[in-house]
């Protein structure tokens, strides 16, 4: 049943975003109530493969490091990562999955300590979430609603499981081409990464994680670093403080992804 005063289905969206073409796009959302009062909201989206051209000191500036942690929260790793971030006074972004009641305190803590809580998905099961556009959007909104209940935050920041460049969804030809457009047209932003720690794959030690990240950083662009806080990932936990020290010593600044951060996206392969 629709609540009285719910104008969701009357929202008009103006403007489109072509995520395959580099450029600045503006989307305008427009809604009128029965008395003819009109409200509008605009959102700007930057599609880039190249370094973000934001001015120094603004969101998305060159030389900024966005540390991102996927697949958590986990009781074994996330609290210790939060402790290190707090000690170093660094804010980061957590792309989370569905969480148990026992781990809800971690989701609240992430928000309370000034980090960005973001949507990876209710489920990470590729065969399930990429079976249809409806299944994928439902996978986002289910977690978005749960996060809102836990924290009051209505986050629109997302990351595709496997990244937007994934080929694990090939069983459904073209789904990523359709989803990358649909997600943005639905008012969300999605972020891939341009620095990979390898902590879910090739990196076998903390040294590997440290080397992958520090070698991947680049002063002339914004840096979105992919890491994971899933259970047992001591490789990243043990490398984190040294990575932050390296960044500070080399003149980088750290920030968290916000609604205003320009999207960093991969090319789509499906
Ligand atoms: Zn993931």
């Amino acid at each position: 049943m629709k609540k009285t005063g719910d104008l969701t289905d009357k929202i008009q969206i103006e403007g489109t975003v072509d995520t395959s073409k580099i450029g600045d796009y503006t989307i305008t959302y427009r809604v009128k109530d029965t008395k003819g009062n009109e409200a509008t909201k605009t959102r700007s989206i930057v599609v880039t493969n190249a370094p973000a051209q934001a001015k120094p000191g603004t969101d998305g500036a060159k030389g900024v490091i966005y540390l991102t942690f996927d697949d958590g929260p986990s009781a074994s790793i996330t609290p210790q990562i939060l402790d290190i971030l707090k000690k170093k006074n660094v804010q980061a972004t957590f792309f989370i999955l569905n969480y148990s009641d026992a781990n809800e305190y971690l989701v609240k803590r992430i928000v309370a300590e000034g980090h960005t809580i973001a949507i990876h998905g209710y489920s990470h099961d590729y065969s399930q979430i990429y079976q249809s556009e409806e299944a994928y959007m439902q996978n986002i909104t289910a977690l978005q609603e749960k996060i809102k209940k836990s924290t009051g935050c209505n986050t629109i920041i997302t990351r595709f499981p496997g990244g937007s460049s994934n080929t694990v969804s090939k069983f459904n030809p073209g789904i990523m081409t359709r989803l990358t457009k649909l997600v943005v047209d639905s008012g969300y932003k999605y972020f891939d990464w341009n620095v990979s720690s390898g902590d879910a794959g090739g990196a076998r030690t903390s040294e590997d994680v440290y080397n992958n990240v520090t070698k991947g950083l680049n002063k002339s662009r914004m840096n979105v670093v992919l890491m994971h806080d899933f259970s047992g990932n001591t490789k990243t936990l043990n490398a984190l403080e040294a990575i932050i020290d390296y960044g500070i010593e080399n003149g980088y600044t750290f920030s968290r992804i916000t609604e205003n951060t320009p999207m960093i996206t991969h090319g789509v392969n499906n």
Side-chain angles (χ1 to χ4, degrees):
M1 198 179 73
K2 205 163 249 299
K3 275 179 285 176
T4 314
D6 186 342
L7 302 169
T8 311
D9 60 1
K10 302 210 168 55
I11 296 177
Q12 295 183 329
I13 302 174
E14 291 170 15
T16 55
V17 177
D18 183 350
T19 55
S20 68
K21 285 204 187 77
I22 289 171
D24 297 347
Y25 300 87
T26 304
I27 301 279
T28 303
Y29 303 87
R30 205 179 288 283
V31 66
K32 241 185 218 170
D33 67 15
T34 48
K35 291 176 186 133
N37 300 313
E38 191 176 83
T40 62
K41 185 172 174 128
T42 61
R43 182 163 280 146
S44 60
I45 289 143
V46 179
V47 176
T48 177
N49 282 320
Q53 298 300 315
K55 292 186 195 79
T58 61
D59 208 349
K62 289 177 183 178
V64 175
I65 298 174
Y66 297 89
L67 299 176
T68 69
F69 299 93
D70 286 14
D71 297 3
S74 68
S76 63
I77 299 295
T78 310
Q80 300 179 75
I81 286 189
L82 287 168
D83 288 346
I84 292 170
L85 295 172
K86 194 178 208 174
K87 178 179 161 195
K88 304 307 261 183
N89 196 24
V90 161
Q91 291 183 326
T93 303
F94 291 80
F95 290 94
I96 69 169
L97 299 172
N98 182 33
Y99 47 91
S100 64
D101 289 349
N103 281 346
E104 188 187 37
Y105 79 101
L106 290 169
V107 177
K108 292 181 173 175
R109 187 178 161 193
I110 286 167
V111 173
E113 297 186 358
H115 306 291
T116 292
I117 197 86
I119 300 161
H120 202 29
Y122 198 87
S123 163
H124 203 287
D125 181 344
Y126 301 131
S127 63
Q128 185 198 322
I129 65 179
Y130 293 133
Q131 64 179 268
S132 68
E133 285 95 309
E134 292 74 21
Y136 186 77
M137 294 312 290
Q138 207 270 334
N139 197 53
I140 290 183
T141 54
L143 186 61
Q144 183 183 34
E145 283 161 22
K146 184 164 176 174
I147 290 170
K148 193 172 179 187
K149 275 202 187 103
S150 295
T151 68
C153 283
N154 190 30
T155 184
I156 57 143
I157 298 162
T158 72
R159 172 173 283 160
F160 290 103
S164 69
S165 57
N166 81 74
T167 53
V168 294
S169 59
K170 282 255 160 122
F171 65 89
N172 185 348
I175 182 87
M176 296 314 300
T177 303
R178 298 190 295 275
L179 279 180
T180 46
K181 184 174 185 329
L182 178 61
V183 161
V184 172
D185 285 349
S186 302
Y188 297 92
K189 282 187 150 189
Y190 71 92
F191 288 82
D192 289 307
W193 55 90
N194 53 19
V195 180
S196 179
S197 68
D199 67 349
R204 284 180 300 177
T205 64
S206 293
E207 287 72 31
D208 289 347
V209 170
Y210 175 85
N211 288 331
N212 287 341
V213 173
T214 55
K215 287 191 180 124
L217 294 172
N218 186 329
K219 264 292 189 37
S220 64
R221 63 174 189 194
M222 55 183 278
N223 298 271
V224 179
V225 180
L226 173 65
M227 298 190 288
H228 294 81
D229 60 332
F230 50 62
S231 184
N233 193 11
T234 52
K235 294 188 297 272
T236 285
L237 177 63
N238 294 330
L240 182 58
E241 196 161 345
I243 288 169
I244 294 171
D245 287 341
Y246 174 92
I248 293 168
E249 282 160 19
N250 288 278
Y252 289 92
T253 54
F254 289 86
S255 191
R256 65 189 180 95
I257 291 171
T258 71
E259 290 185 15
N260 300 318
T261 307
M263 298 200 323
I264 286 282
T265 64
H266 294 163
V268 169
N269 294 310
N270 176 25

